[in-house]
Amino acid sequence: MSVASPHIPIKYVSLLILVVQNSALTLVFKYSTNQGKYATSTAVLLSELLKLVVCFTLVSQEDQPKRDKKASTLQRIFGPDSWKMIIPAGLYTIQNNLQYIAVKLLDPATFQVTYQLKILTTALFSVIMLRRQLSVKKWISLLLLTLGVILVKMSSQKSQGNSDLYSQRTLGFLAVICACLLSGLAGVYFEKILKGSQSTLWVRNSQLAFFSLFPALFLGVMWMDGESVRTNGFWYQYNIWTFGAIGCQAFGGIIVAMVVKYADNILKGFATSISIVISSVISIFLFNFQITPTFILGASLVIYSSYLYGLD
């Protein structure tokens, strides 16, 4: 008589990984910027380079003719339609730089909640660009999401004690909103390209990472942080937390791709909810974050709206 060995379904494993990644990304970003004043654009560049290496490896492991596997991999990645990834690559690169700016200026819990506005921007761009029809339930969830973020913003204003802090956090919110707009536009554009192409997800991610290197280098490192890099060097004030942030950002897209493949929208909503709770609790101990009733109400609305949006 054989006993079947217990196993955890892959969708729950991917869900657990997504929760850890979502929570760690914001917290490690914040802690790394507190520990060292490094040029964050260099971290964005390195994360795209690491992502390219990982995605290239995954493409090379896909079913291909064994005769000249390396040449076949390069041909698939740099095919005649690879140029289509230039636009989303530029959008994602700017978004990633804005994430660092927002995390510097906001506490992790507020950033985590506010960043869920990308659900709203993605939905709106999908209606405009993909002619997608949203159900009444989804529109209600988007309305609740917006209301929740407004309450979190009001909570942030109440907890501020001086005008400098108010200006700092207002700039942080603006950075989050811009990042959400770019995330929504890039995500829908990426989806549109995938639907009209026979290339695999990993091929497209390889192209995305490759074309992201150019804006990350020229727009980020050389233009945005050029003076700092020339004066202090590329690796100025890098530490283990900096490399942790780079790893979280690089593997984030790969984890999301895995979750899209194996988990459903309801599970992704749960992952978002759990991540917000974890970030809020840890922020209390690491960053002296003060949870107010208004924040709890706003965060609860955001969590519920994320769950409601994924029900259809």
Side-chain angles (χ1 to χ4, degrees):
M1 178 178 176
S2 61
V3 179
S5 58
H7 65 280
I8 302 175
I10 186 65
K11 67 178 182 178
Y12 293 116
V13 174
S14 62
L15 172 68
L16 177 62
I17 295 173
L18 183 62
V19 169
V20 173
Q21 191 273 337
N22 275 352
S23 304
L25 178 64
T26 308
L27 294 167
V28 173
F29 268 22
K30 182 67 175 180
Y31 199 77
S32 69
T33 53
N34 284 355
Q35 292 297 307
K37 301 195 179 298
Y38 58 92
T40 54
S41 61
T42 61
V44 173
L45 175 64
L46 291 177
S47 69
E48 294 301 330
L49 185 60
L50 177 58
K51 192 187 302 180
L52 176 61
V53 172
V54 173
C55 291
F56 183 89
T57 303
L58 291 171
V59 172
S60 67
Q61 298 304 313
E62 292 178 332
D63 293 335
Q64 300 177 61
K66 295 183 179 179
R67 182 181 55 186
D68 193 353
K69 203 166 187 177
K70 185 176 180 180
S72 177
T73 300
L74 290 173
Q75 289 169 1
R76 293 175 67 200
I77 293 176
F78 300 106
D81 66 342
S82 61
W83 62 270
K84 293 179 179 179
M85 302 308 297
I86 293 176
I87 293 177
L91 295 175
Y92 276 129
T93 303
I94 298 173
Q95 174 214 327
N96 290 336
N97 280 285
L98 286 171
Q99 277 185 301
Y100 271 103
I101 294 172
V103 168
K104 278 184 180 180
L105 301 175
L106 299 173
D107 55 83
T110 302
F111 171 81
Q112 187 88 325
V113 174
T114 311
Y115 194 56
Q116 300 314 308
L117 275 178
K118 64 184 179 180
I119 299 174
L120 172 64
T121 58
T122 302
L124 294 178
F125 281 118
S126 68
V127 170
I128 296 170
M129 296 174 62
L130 302 179
R131 299 293 187 267
R132 184 167 291 159
Q133 299 292 325
L134 299 183
S135 65
V136 175
K137 185 185 296 182
K138 286 189 181 293
W139 283 114
I140 292 174
S141 68
L142 293 175
L143 179 62
L144 292 175
L145 173 68
T146 305
L147 179 59
V149 172
I150 291 174
L151 288 173
V152 169
K153 177 68 172 71
M154 290 171 58
S155 170
S156 173
Q157 288 177 332
K158 290 178 181 179
S159 63
Q160 294 164 169
N162 58 68
S163 58
D164 289 340
L165 186 57
Y166 174 81
S167 300
Q168 172 182 310
R169 295 180 71 85
T170 299
L171 183 60
F173 275 107
L174 290 175
V176 173
I177 291 171
C178 291
C180 289
L181 285 170
L182 293 174
S183 176
L185 177 58
V188 173
Y189 192 95
F190 187 46
E191 181 182 349
K192 189 172 184 178
I193 293 174
L194 280 177
K195 286 185 175 181
S197 170
Q198 295 181 344
S199 299
T200 66
L201 180 64
W202 299 122
V203 169
R204 288 304 188 190
N205 272 305
S206 298
Q207 295 167 347
L208 192 64
F210 174 76
F211 286 114
S212 294
L213 295 176
F214 299 98
L217 175 62
F218 295 108
L219 184 62
V221 176
M222 297 181 66
W223 182 69
M224 189 173 76
D225 289 321
E227 184 177 352
S228 173
V229 172
R230 286 190 295 270
T231 303
N232 302 315
F234 189 92
W235 307 99
Y236 178 68
Q237 289 205 356
Y238 263 57
N239 53 51
I240 188 172
W241 294 104
T242 312
F243 289 106
I246 292 169
C248 285
Q249 192 171 51
F251 290 106
I254 298 171
I255 291 171
V256 169
M258 182 177 69
V259 172
V260 168
K261 183 175 181 179
Y262 293 112
D264 54 37
N265 285 331
I266 296 177
L267 288 178
K268 284 186 284 182
F270 275 123
T272 300
S273 304
I274 297 170
S275 300
I276 290 174
V277 173
I278 292 174
S279 297
S280 300
V281 172
I282 295 179
S283 294
I284 296 173
F285 299 100
L286 288 183
F287 307 108
N288 297 319
F289 175 62
Q290 296 180 351
I291 293 183
T292 64
T294 308
F295 177 86
I296 294 175
L297 178 59
S300 299
L301 283 176
V302 170
I303 290 172
Y304 177 68
S305 64
S306 301
Y307 167 76
L308 185 64
Y309 189 84
L311 284 179
D312 288 344

